Amino acid sequence: MIGNTFNLLYGYLFLSPITNNASFNLFTRVYDSYFSNPILNGVLNFVMSGLLLVVGALLGMVIGNFLTLFSKVIQRLILIIGPISGGSFYSLLPAR
């Protein structure tokens, strides 16, 4: 959460004025002007960014716990072959 605070302060104080772009993270790109109050938008940006960090950390723990069921060789094979097979499967899907 400390890193999230520094990230948001840097984005609001330095990045937005320099680039003249307020959407510097995922939440501000999607819900930049959801509320008309900019202070409320900033607070919700902090809360949602923190939740996104927590969800990412929990997802990493779930994947790590799943991989502990296998040996080191199988873990590496899953981590290397899984994204390759998923990407090749995605390329076989029909175009929309």
Side-chain angles (χ1 to χ4, degrees):
M1 293 305 288
I2 295 170
N4 185 32
T5 305
F6 285 130
N7 178 34
L8 292 176
L9 285 175
Y10 174 77
Y12 282 125
L13 297 177
F14 298 107
L15 194 60
S16 291
I18 292 172
T19 61
N20 201 15
N21 188 5
S23 61
F24 56 89
N25 67 9
L26 179 66
F27 185 76
T28 54
R29 281 192 192 110
V30 178
Y31 297 107
D32 187 27
S33 58
Y34 188 74
F35 294 105
S36 60
N37 187 351
I39 296 172
L40 185 59
N41 279 332
V43 170
L44 285 177
N45 186 7
F46 179 75
V47 170
M48 296 306 284
S49 296
L51 285 175
L52 187 63
L53 286 171
V54 168
V55 168
L58 289 175
L59 183 63
M61 284 191 251
V62 167
I63 291 170
N65 284 327
F66 172 73
L67 288 175
T68 59
L69 299 172
F70 305 104
S71 67
K72 291 241 183 226
V73 174
I74 301 299
Q75 288 177 6
R76 291 183 181 124
L77 286 174
I78 289 172
L79 290 174
I80 293 170
I81 295 175
I84 295 172
S85 63
S88 62
F89 175 74
Y90 182 73
S91 66
L92 295 175
L93 293 175
R96 293 184 199 191

